[in-house]
Amino acid sequence: MLKIFDIKAKSFPVTRKIILWASGIILFLAIFFTYVTNVTIDAASDELLATLKVLFWIFICLAPFAVAAIVIFIILREKELADYYKVRNKSTLGKKVRLFDVLNMLWMAIFCVMCVYPIIYVLIGSFNQGADYARGGVYLIPRLFTFENYRVVLEKSEMWHSYLVTIGRTALGTVSALVFTSIVAYAISRPNLKFKGVIYWINLLTMFFSGGLIPYFLVITAIGLYDNFFVYIIPALYSVYNMIVISSFFKSVSNELHEAALVDGASEFRIWWQIYMPLSKPVLATVALWLAIGHWNSYFDTMIYTSSKDLHTLQYFLLQAIQSSTMTEGMTETMLQRVSAKTISLAAIIISIIPVLFFFPFVRKNFQSGIMIGSLKG
Amino acid sequence: MKKSVYAKLMSLFLVASLGFSVAACDNIPKINNGDDAFDVSYNDEKLDPAGAADAGNSWTYISAADKAENYTINWYVDVSTWPMPTGKDAVSKRIKEVTGLTVKFETPVSDDGTKLNTMIAGNKLPDVISMPTSNLLTLSLLAKDGLVYDINGLADRYAHSLYEHLPEDVLEWWAYGNGKTYGVPNHYYSYSDVPEGEQLQPNGGMMVRKDLFDSWQEHVSTDSRIDGDGMLHYTSLSGAAKTVEWQGYITTPEGFKEAAKWALANYKGTGNGNGKITTGLLLSQFKADGCTSLGWLSQFFAIPYEDESGNYQYAFTQESYKEMLMYLNDLYNEGIISKGNFTQNFDGIGGTIASGAAFATLVTPQDYQMHFLTAHDTVVNGKSLEYVSMYITNENGDAPVLSDIRGYGYLMNMITTGGPLSKTRPDLIIKLFDYLTSPEGQLLVTLGVEGETWNYTDSTKTATAFTETYLEEKAKLQTAKYGLMQFDVLINYQYYDNMQPRVNNGKTEGELYRTNLKRPLTIYSYDCNVSHFVIDATDSRYNDYDNALTRINNVLGRQVPKIIQAASRSEAESVYNTTIGYLNSYNLDIVLQMNAESYAKTKAKLGLTNGWPAYQEGYNMTPDRLHPNGDLSLYRSY
Amino acid sequence: MSENVTVKRINGEILTDPSIKLNKRRTWTKNDWILLLMASLSIVFLAVFAYAPLYGLILAFKKDHETKNILSAIVYGSWGSYGGLEQFRTFLTDPEFGNIMANTLGLNILQLMINFPAPIVFAILMSELISDKFKKTVQTITFFPHFISWVIFGGLFLSLLDYDTGIVNTLFVKVGLIKEPVDILGGEDYFWPIIIITSLLKGLGWGSIIYVAAISGIPSELYEAAKIDGANRWHKIRYITVPSIAPTITLFFILSISGLLNNGIDHIWVFQNANNIGRSEVLDTFIYKYGLGMSNYAYATAVGLFKSVISVILLVSGNFVCKKLSGRGIY
């Protein structure tokens, strides 16, 4: 037997994961290319058709291997499970599957379908020809398949630049805001903070009152952030809402831990960084997700606080592209029929949300390590 | 004790932070309401060489030194849907060669004015602002605040030739009370550009599915009500006995109702392009502030905006307008107007058209060009689902009075007093304006670089044709590099229309269908410039006027669907009466008053005794009933 | 309150050293300074980005349409009549005021009753899933709709529910459930349910993240112990899960109460139309139409300020009630 199929090897879980994913992707692509080579593609050039054919054959040839790999792993898994059940059935902690579990699973599955469908709807539309899409009724498969929508968006060199800007602001913005907000959250969560009441209210009131855009804009320009990359980072450093959320979690960390650290001579700053932060991973991950998605999706600050094209973010670029249909600029009649602002925007959505899906594994990981919270209480 | 310490801390904090911000913004311009409003100062050192101003085109005086500076103009267009030129095409290159200027465009992504407001308040003005002429308030405030130069002042100093290139009536149309004009519009139709005797296309139109229309004509031709002379006898909605040529029965309100009912009875079904229809008459989207279809229908029904003594008349309160609403109510109750129509958004309406699912439409055809084209390209059982224009008349049979596409501009281009370049060198920008307004610039922007994409075909330079190279590239969809029709902020469309290639124009069948959508209705379209009167936004009552008008439009937007959807005529009438009550309570008086004043002023400006085309010479009261679906022979081949 | 607790504890530990006890009362320790420094980061930030721009609220008391430069209007614009309260008066005496407030509050209270608890229930149900793999999948998938804008997401519903061509009506008529198509999108009575259901579909997974995070923080020993004690699933939820996440629930409940006047404008916008306007016009859409839409910024600011004041009142009273009922509040 090959080494990668050795259940007892240390690297086995990782190898299995990689191989399973690869097999899954190969199978998906095989199906996709089988589909694509069998539909009429609008505006397909000979090169495109040839490339598709080659890809189709490559993946069709790979498919049997992928299936084989999956089958082998399923068999191995069965074996593993069998061993596992032998042990587990003896344990009193073993769970039984009840009716509730079945129903729960069933309804979750239904709900998942309802949540996946809108994405599929967008995906289908993004592969449909523009003029045809306008007739409506495209729900399950593209009626007139085309790659034109993607080609039009991806051809723009500005898009890749704006992608970089967005990734940069999301990474930097999330980390800095998380640190800044949690510092404040920690201080405010401490009962021994002086002037706690007044500080808290100064914070709270800003959630409700704002002076409006123009005075805010003037502040931004006065401190030199206008048309500066840091206009994406600094004003987003802190949010009272997130602070309240984080600090309410900090409050649930057991007080004994804090006192023990104090007695050991740790400063409040060290306690925050070395005890509270690691213990609050679930909530920090959640807030990080909020922040990251906020950064990823924002376009308004780009419109108002910047003027140079170098600072355009992905969402701004896509929005402007869709709205002003700069994409369709210089296009002739025939081209306009192939793509419409609507179908281009659907392609743009797909392009912009693919990276977002990679945020989740990171967040989930931190949920799992959050078991420590309150562990000292119990 | 504790409380007061907190209070003290709090107030100290507030004062400190507010103090910071006020310190951050000095130099706030005061509000000008007196005589010095509208004033700007000029940098007179940059005047043209002595005596040069009168001779020849102003842009030829841009010095080599200025050209070598490589100035950039920040040009802000306050319309999110405006397609920006990339600046990488032949037209931009040519502009740069001639004027030495590079134009950098910017557009917002939302149309609520926030971007412009922040630019003004934050002192980050662009050099040029282009915004819709419909936004009267902002246009006048920009001028009043001294934020934009007056065109007269700049042209007098730096660009005399602009007066030759920009038609006088255009400049005058937008002049304020002080006689000055603060911007140059695009898409204007000057009386000097419209060829004598030529009628322009209407702005709105009614379209009908041609195949269904033909089947109906065939069906009605054997109707028992037709006498030996081919006249069809019918009872009108108000009960009078009437006759009409059978071919034109569909153009009467009764006939249209019958035809739509017939079509629904025979072709009803849900169709994504299978030839079935879901609605008899498709109206455009019912937005919060109204539905454009009502305006178009009132033009077909020839509801006047002027009374017999030449005074302004408001549409909604007129008896004939009420009758029109009652007609729509009748169509609704007969199932001809679908309930779904009132909840559909742009995509929904467009989908109905694109799938050919409406017997007739009253939408603005140019807004749904793509959808009409899709229907045109769909073939079911060998027949295209093509829509062609048609018309209907009022019960009396008066010919429709359609407002033509003329108008005094869509975008207004203003040169700011505070932009990075315009602050010191407005002369360069007005020269660029002059260049783009001149015939040379217009042909560059619309047809491209002479010799590269087009050539004159005659010695008098009145006819043009595209070059073979251009047409070949166009067939290969490779036209972006030429940049035609991209730089359209100062375009004079009528001039282009006069000059565009009539042969060898490389237009596809689809493009021709699109440009000809409403052309057959041209015979019923008239110059209604007077009805597009401009309210003087510098008037002290303007604030109230603006508020009242917004309220009224929103009330109508809410009530009109209720009138149309009322269960019976009497119910519809009672909703109508309630609506009149609302209008009065929202200060309809001031709207009527200011409209009437502006109307009279505009009439005087245009030199008209009667503004309503039906009172003017050349109006033919009897429509041509033999060509009810418009005369397709009027289609242009270019 | 809790300050005492800390003091007591410190006292309890170091009673033998009276000098430290004195220090605690009279002078500040280094840690006090550090904490204050940490907290004052927020003060500096808010002073610049939140309090400094507050002078913009002056606009609410001014007349409008005198200048295009809003900054000039704020500083030099003339005061509105009725002692500067002109804009507020216009709003409060608007014939539509009652209806708008009723819609805003009605829709929001309904959302508070349905859309607030739903993610909690969802998170608990998710935690009860037996397969870890499935749990992960559900978590990821239910986030998806959050990333699709309302225009697109709502557009899907508009086409599904369309009166003439929508699948829902067509199907129901075909099956014979209804004789005539139902005007779901236009009916005033359907508007609130549509908003509730669509926001559930779009926001359930996303809204549950924080509760999932809270539940995952509950030590598993608690469940193990309960199991040994013979607790069934319901008992575990009732006596472990819910009490453990109760602080989180209270926190978000109070925050939602203070947001009772906010409606997602994009969401309403998609489904609002001429026929359901009587039920769909809410404060936010109203401000947009009559404030920003008319460039009447003084009016928009005044209505915004009105909203802020109400929100603060709601926050304070919501917090008060919660404190009385559960002993917890956000301050």
Side-chain angles (χ1 to χ4, degrees):
Chain A
M1 201 96 171
L2 279 165
K3 212 177 177 187
I4 46 166
F5 296 127
D6 183 7
I7 310 182
K8 283 168 188 110
K10 250 188 191 168
S11 58
F12 178 71
V14 182
T15 336
R16 182 173 64 184
K17 205 168 202 175
I18 293 170
I19 293 182
L20 275 180
W21 270 104
S23 309
I25 290 170
I26 289 171
L27 277 185
F28 172 78
L29 288 176
I31 295 167
F32 178 74
F33 286 113
T34 314
Y35 168 71
V36 164
T37 39
N38 282 303
V39 289
T40 350
I41 298 173
D42 185 52
S45 62
D46 290 342
E47 300 101 71
L48 180 74
L49 289 175
T51 325
L52 285 178
K53 201 136 233 174
V54 171
L55 285 169
F56 166 70
W57 284 112
I58 291 176
F59 282 103
I60 282 297
C61 294
L62 284 175
F65 294 103
V67 174
I70 291 173
V71 169
I72 290 173
F73 278 117
I74 289 176
I75 295 168
L76 288 176
R77 175 80 184 156
E78 284 300 317
K79 250 167 113 186
E80 200 185 354
L81 280 179
D83 293 344
Y84 174 70
Y85 277 121
K86 259 184 228 159
V87 182
R88 203 175 99 140
N89 284 347
K90 284 176 199 156
S91 149
T92 45
L93 291 172
K95 289 178 193 167
K96 275 187 216 146
V97 179
R98 288 163 196 275
L99 182 64
F100 173 86
D101 292 310
V102 176
L103 287 179
N104 194 11
M105 214 134 150
L106 198 67
W107 110 259
M108 285 285 177
I110 294 171
F111 186 68
C112 280
V113 171
M114 280 162 36
C115 286
V116 168
Y117 180 67
I119 290 271
I120 294 180
Y121 173 74
V122 172
L123 195 66
I124 290 162
S126 70
F127 280 113
N128 203 79
Q129 191 235 41
D132 176 72
Y133 190 78
R135 295 210 307 243
V138 178
Y139 293 118
L140 293 172
I141 49 161
R143 202 161 39 205
L144 250 175
F145 193 91
T146 187
F147 287 112
E148 293 295 291
N149 298 309
Y150 286 94
R151 197 180 63 92
V152 164
V153 183
L154 295 174
E155 257 180 4
K156 300 266 166 176
S157 58
E158 295 100 314
M159 196 201 88
W160 300 108
H161 183 83
S162 66
Y163 230 124
L164 284 181
V165 174
T166 296
I167 291 172
R169 75 171 283 186
T170 306
L172 193 58
T174 308
V175 172
S176 58
L178 199 61
V179 170
F180 191 100
T181 311
S182 62
I183 289 180
V184 178
Y186 173 74
I188 287 184
S189 76
R190 295 307 311 153
N192 51 327
L193 171 70
K194 306 279 182 197
F195 302 115
K196 192 178 163 180
V198 71
I199 292 174
Y200 198 75
W201 271 102
I202 284 178
N203 272 279
L204 213 55
L205 284 179
T206 59
M207 283 177 72
F208 302 102
F209 294 97
S210 95
L213 184 66
I214 302 294
Y216 191 79
F217 178 82
L218 292 168
V219 168
I220 298 281
T221 44
I223 56 181
L225 286 180
Y226 183 77
D227 210 18
N228 183 329
F229 176 75
F230 284 95
V231 78
Y232 296 142
I233 310 293
I234 295 173
L237 268 183
Y238 182 65
S239 125
V240 178
Y241 189 91
N242 290 343
M243 185 277 289
I244 293 177
V245 171
I246 298 179
S247 92
S248 85
F249 271 75
F250 280 165
K251 276 184 202 157
S252 73
V253 175
S254 99
N255 215 15
E256 284 92 5
L257 212 55
H258 183 261
E259 276 156 34
L262 267 187
V263 171
D264 286 348
S267 72
E268 291 281 6
F269 192 78
R270 261 190 71 188
I271 297 174
W272 159 73
W273 180 246
Q274 292 190 331
I275 298 174
Y276 278 68
M277 288 296 267
L279 280 182
S280 310
K281 272 187 185 166
V283 69
L284 292 176
T286 310
V287 173
L289 185 64
W290 289 346
L291 287 166
I293 299 298
H295 273 290
W296 191 267
N297 285 338
S298 70
Y299 64 89
F300 188 76
D301 46 8
T302 310
M303 172 172 92
I304 302 289
Y305 309 122
T306 71
S307 69
S308 62
K309 280 206 163 72
D310 291 344
L311 290 176
H312 282 186
T313 51
L314 181 66
Q315 296 291 347
Y316 182 81
F317 169 78
L318 292 175
L319 200 61
Q320 196 173 48
I322 294 158
Q323 262 185 344
S324 66
S325 35
T326 33
M327 296 297 190
T328 51
E329 166 194 324
M331 284 180 189
T332 46
E333 196 63 41
T334 358
M335 197 64 197
L336 275 173
Q337 271 170 271
R338 278 187 198 136
V339 294
S340 68
K342 187 91 194 175
T343 48
I344 291 178
S345 76
L346 298 178
I349 291 173
I350 295 293
I351 290 169
S352 72
I353 62 172
I354 287 172
V356 170
L357 302 181
F358 292 103
F359 294 173
F360 293 130
F362 158 78
V363 173
R364 264 203 318 265
K365 215 170 245 162
N366 285 295
F367 280 1
Q368 282 149 5
S369 59
I371 294 162
M372 278 177 75
I373 256 204
S375 58
L376 285 153
K377 269 185 195 164
Chain B
M1 273 301 277
K2 216 175 173 186
K3 277 263 143 71
S4 74
V5 172
Y6 281 173
K8 250 185 214 163
L9 268 172
M10 195 82 152
S11 53
L12 235 160
F13 166 74
L14 263 172
V15 169
S17 54
L18 288 181
F20 160 81
S21 69
V22 175
C25 47
D26 43 4
N27 282 331
I28 308 166
K30 287 220 160 106
I31 297 167
N32 284 326
N33 279 325
D35 297 336
D36 55 343
F38 295 100
D39 270 6
V40 290
S41 58
Y42 293 92
N43 181 2
D44 278 334
E45 289 158 26
K46 302 286 181 198
L47 275 174
D48 289 327
D54 305 318
N57 295 325
S58 66
W59 63 89
T60 54
Y61 294 99
I62 299 176
S63 69
D66 281 338
K67 282 189 188 173
E69 284 282 336
N70 282 325
Y71 287 117
T72 302
I73 296 182
N74 290 306
W75 194 312
Y76 174 72
V77 182
D78 197 29
V79 179
S80 70
T81 49
W82 186 70
M84 271 191 284
T86 50
K88 290 172 194 154
D89 49 61
V91 170
S92 305
K93 211 176 119 206
R94 181 98 184 111
I95 292 172
K96 166 92 178 154
E97 278 167 20
V98 173
T99 62
L101 298 165
T102 311
V103 180
K104 200 185 108 199
F105 283 104
E106 200 179 354
T107 56
V109 293
S110 65
D111 282 322
D112 50 13
T114 41
K115 173 84 180 162
L116 185 63
N117 286 333
T118 48
M119 286 197 294
I120 292 170
N123 208 8
K124 300 274 181 209
L125 278 177
D127 296 309
V128 181
I129 299 175
S130 301
M131 59 187 313
T133 49
S134 55
N135 200 340
L136 293 174
L137 181 69
T138 306
L139 291 178
S140 70
L141 286 178
L142 285 172
K144 205 177 95 182
D145 287 349
L147 291 170
V148 293
Y149 288 105
D150 64 280
I151 295 299
N152 316 65
L154 286 178
D156 287 345
R157 286 171 174 80
Y158 315 116
H160 272 207
S161 49
L162 182 69
Y163 291 122
E164 289 163 34
H165 299 137
L166 186 66
E168 204 183 332
D169 57 335
V170 178
L171 204 59
E172 227 165 67
W173 181 266
W174 293 108
Y176 286 119
N178 62 1
K180 290 178 182 172
T181 308
Y182 289 81
V184 179
N186 72 347
H187 278 284
Y188 48 79
Y189 289 79
S190 162
Y191 289 101
S192 58
D193 287 328
V194 180
E196 191 112 355
E198 180 168 330
Q199 274 176 298
L200 300 177
Q201 287 194 72
N203 204 3
M206 187 170 181
M207 311 287 289
V208 65
R209 263 257 310 265
K210 191 165 185 303
D211 57 331
L212 299 187
F213 177 86
D214 290 342
S215 311
W216 160 257
Q217 291 298 75
E218 206 175 294
H219 168 80
V220 82
S221 66
T222 56
D223 198 288
S224 58
R225 291 169 291 178
I226 302 174
D227 64 17
D229 299 331
M231 299 301 278
L232 191 146
H233 297 260
Y234 68 99
T235 324
S236 82
L237 291 172
S238 56
K242 299 219 166 191
T243 57
V244 66
E245 291 89 343
W246 70 263
Q247 292 93 334
Y249 182 49
I250 192 171
T251 64
T252 63
E254 303 76 16
F256 176 76
K257 185 174 141 188
E258 216 177 300
K261 268 178 92 170
W262 174 85
L264 278 170
N266 290 289
Y267 297 93
K268 185 150 177 135
T270 48
N272 287 315
N274 60 4
K276 300 279 187 199
I277 56 171
T278 55
T279 181
L281 178 65
L282 183 74
L283 305 176
S284 65
Q285 196 186 346
F286 282 84
K287 291 189 183 164
D289 54 357
C291 167
T292 49
S293 293
L294 295 175
W296 306 138
L297 187 58
S298 76
Q299 293 182 4
F300 280 105
F301 278 9
I303 297 171
Y305 47 74
E306 186 187 66
D307 66 15
E308 271 133 13
S309 43
N311 295 318
Y312 170 77
Q313 225 178 349
Y314 187 67
F316 189 80
T317 47
Q318 284 179 56
E319 190 59 29
S320 48
Y321 195 88
K322 180 182 160 189
E323 280 311 312
M324 179 188 93
L325 290 172
M326 295 307 139
Y327 177 61
L328 287 174
N329 174 250
D330 189 28
L331 292 185
Y332 172 79
N333 283 325
E334 294 282 352
I336 292 164
I337 297 173
S338 165
K339 218 175 204 168
N341 203 159
F342 298 89
T343 57
Q344 277 171 335
N345 61 5
F346 180 83
D347 288 337
I349 305 275
T352 310
I353 297 170
S355 54
F359 172 62
T361 74
L362 251 179
V363 301
T364 319
Q366 58 268 38
D367 291 352
Y368 293 95
Q369 289 177 32
M370 190 190 91
H371 305 95
F372 279 116
L373 198 59
T374 307
H376 168 87
D377 292 345
T378 311
V379 179
V380 178
N381 300 332
K383 273 185 187 168
S384 151
L385 303 184
E386 178 187 12
Y387 282 86
V388 293
S389 52
M390 71 164 278
Y391 69 88
I392 60 172
T393 67
N394 58 21
E395 211 183 318
N396 290 337
D398 301 327
V401 178
L402 309 182
S403 168
D404 64 22
I405 43 173
R406 113 185 36 226
Y408 274 108
Y410 162 57
L411 286 178
M412 183 66 92
N413 304 284
M414 292 160 291
I415 304 173
T416 67
T417 54
L421 181 66
S422 62
K423 197 183 331 186
T424 50
R425 300 302 306 270
D427 56 317
L428 292 175
I429 303 177
I430 193 76
K431 280 172 182 156
L432 173 69
F433 272 34
D434 187 17
Y435 174 61
L436 291 173
T437 311
S438 70
E440 191 185 328
Q442 286 293 330
L443 291 178
L444 172 70
V445 167
T446 53
L447 300 178
V449 178
E450 187 185 350
E452 196 175 322
T453 51
W454 64 279
N455 285 305
Y456 285 113
T457 53
D458 61 342
S459 52
T460 53
K461 297 196 167 187
T462 48
T464 57
F466 283 123
T467 58
E468 289 303 325
T469 344
Y470 172 73
L471 293 179
E472 276 164 30
E473 294 286 282
K474 188 173 182 237
K476 283 189 277 174
L477 312 177
Q478 302 288 323
T479 51
K481 59 186 172 201
Y482 296 120
L484 271 61
M485 300 300 262
Q486 297 303 310
F487 209 104
D488 66 348
V489 268
L490 279 157
I491 203 171
N492 174 352
Y493 196 83
Q494 184 58 42
Y495 180 74
Y496 160 72
D497 198 47
N498 300 342
M499 293 300 291
Q500 65 168 310
R502 302 188 177 203
V503 289
N504 221 3
N505 50 55
K507 282 193 178 158
T508 61
E509 198 241 348
E511 277 171 309
L512 288 175
Y513 171 70
R514 237 168 37 141
T515 55
N516 282 316
L517 267 180
K518 342 167 257 192
R519 199 170 307 276
L521 292 173
T522 304
I523 41 173
Y524 298 117
S525 77
Y526 300 89
D527 170 6
C528 293
N529 252 339
V530 65
S531 68
H532 307 312
F533 53 83
V534 178
I535 302 286
D536 183 7
T538 58
D539 191 299
S540 60
R541 295 165 298 172
Y542 188 79
N543 199 351
D544 292 335
Y545 174 86
D546 194 39
N547 284 338
L549 194 66
T550 312
R551 297 252 148 207
I552 286 169
N553 286 338
N554 277 294
V555 166
L556 290 181
R558 216 171 35 224
Q559 293 294 110
V560 166
K562 278 190 194 156
I563 299 174
I564 299 176
Q565 292 173 92
S568 64
R569 189 188 160 100
S570 60
E571 202 180 299
E573 271 179 6
S574 95
V575 183
Y576 176 84
N577 292 333
T578 333
T579 309
I580 297 279
Y582 285 141
L583 295 191
N584 289 328
S585 72
Y586 281 131
N587 207 355
L588 180 63
D589 286 345
I590 190 156
V591 174
L592 297 184
Q593 194 188 344
M594 284 189 75
N595 278 357
E597 285 169 21
S598 301
Y599 184 79
K601 239 185 255 169
T602 311
K603 249 170 67 176
K605 214 183 235 179
L606 294 172
L608 295 169
T609 35
N610 281 307
W612 177 240
Y615 302 147
Q616 293 166 353
E617 267 176 64
Y619 172 73
N620 185 6
M621 284 289 273
T622 42
D624 174 13
R625 301 279 195 190
L626 294 174
H627 290 108
N629 67 335
D631 192 349
L632 299 195
S633 66
L634 289 172
Y635 273 20
R636 263 190 195 175
S637 61
Y638 59 92
Chain C
M1 243 181 50
S2 39
E3 203 173 340
N4 287 337
V5 176
T6 324
V7 172
K8 247 185 221 160
R9 280 192 181 146
I10 288 169
N11 285 348
E13 275 168 19
I14 44 178
L15 248 176
T16 45
D17 192 348
S19 64
I20 295 179
K21 198 178 158 191
L22 274 176
N23 273 349
K24 182 79 200 161
R25 273 195 196 147
R26 297 251 167 94
T27 64
W28 287 29
T29 65
K30 195 179 125 211
N31 270 335
D32 283 336
W33 284 109
I34 293 177
L35 267 189
L36 194 63
L37 201 70
M38 288 167 89
S40 51
L41 281 181
S42 72
I43 306 291
V44 174
F45 181 94
L46 294 174
V48 177
F49 292 106
Y51 283 95
L54 267 194
Y55 65 89
L57 287 177
I58 298 169
L59 191 60
F61 305 96
K62 300 260 169 155
K63 265 194 180 136
D64 211 328
H65 290 341
E66 290 176 66
T67 169
K68 186 65 191 159
N69 190 335
I70 293 179
L71 186 60
S72 301
I74 293 170
V75 181
Y76 300 112
S78 48
W79 296 99
S81 39
Y82 303 100
L85 297 178
E86 183 183 356
Q87 310 290 355
F88 294 93
R89 189 177 174 277
T90 318
F91 175 58
L92 294 173
T93 56
D94 194 290
E96 283 184 58
F97 174 77
N99 188 37
I100 290 161
M101 288 310 279
N103 286 341
T104 310
L105 288 174
L107 189 53
N108 269 310
I109 290 171
L110 207 59
Q111 283 197 315
L112 197 65
M113 275 162 22
I114 297 168
N115 292 13
F116 176 75
I120 304 171
V121 174
F122 183 71
I124 293 174
L125 284 180
M126 197 145 63
S127 73
E128 292 297 324
L129 282 175
I130 41 173
S131 158
D132 257 7
K133 277 257 159 57
F134 188 59
K135 198 189 283 186
K136 275 186 197 171
T137 319
V138 172
Q139 260 176 29
T140 308
I141 285 178
T142 50
F143 290 163
F144 282 1
H146 179 78
F147 300 103
I148 302 178
S149 67
W150 272 117
V151 178
I152 304 286
F153 192 79
L156 170 63
F157 279 87
L158 291 184
S159 62
L160 289 178
L161 299 176
D162 190 89
Y163 182 80
D164 294 318
T165 55
I167 281 185
V168 174
N169 270 325
T170 325
L171 204 70
F172 281 11
V173 171
K174 244 183 206 153
V175 171
L177 232 57
I178 43 175
K179 270 196 193 122
E180 281 274 295
V182 182
D183 188 15
I184 308 170
L185 296 170
E188 290 199 338
D189 299 339
Y190 296 106
F191 183 75
W192 290 7
I194 286 178
I195 293 293
I196 300 285
I197 290 168
T198 49
S199 60
L200 269 184
L201 272 179
K202 193 163 180 290
L204 196 53
W206 184 251
S208 67
I209 305 178
I210 190 74
Y211 301 109
V212 171
I215 291 173
S216 69
I218 303 172
S220 53
E221 299 94 77
L222 286 182
Y223 291 109
E224 304 290 341
K227 189 153 218 164
I228 291 163
D229 291 348
N232 63 19
R233 192 194 308 267
W234 168 246
H235 288 138
K236 280 189 282 179
I237 294 176
R238 171 73 183 77
Y239 297 108
I240 303 174
T241 313
V242 173
S244 304
I245 61 169
T248 318
I249 296 177
T250 320
L251 168 72
F252 282 93
F253 184 70
I254 296 169
L255 291 175
S256 334
I257 284 186
S258 61
L260 269 190
L261 293 189
N262 294 325
N263 288 99
I265 186 161
D266 292 342
H267 187 187
I268 306 276
W269 228 227
V270 172
F271 291 100
Q272 186 175 75
N273 58 48
N275 275 6
N276 63 22
I277 194 100
R279 280 279 151 266
S280 65
E281 189 83 302
V282 294
L283 204 51
D284 286 339
T285 57
F286 182 83
I287 298 181
Y288 195 88
K289 273 183 205 161
Y290 293 96
L292 301 174
M294 283 166 70
S295 311
N296 196 340
Y297 297 99
Y299 189 64
T301 314
V303 181
L305 186 57
F306 169 82
K307 234 174 89 171
S308 302
V309 172
I310 303 282
S311 298
V312 171
I313 295 172
L314 285 170
L315 172 82
V316 171
S317 41
N319 195 56
F320 177 79
V321 172
C322 280
K323 258 189 172 166
K324 278 266 156 336
L325 291 180
S326 68
R328 286 193 207 90
I330 65 165
Y331 58 85

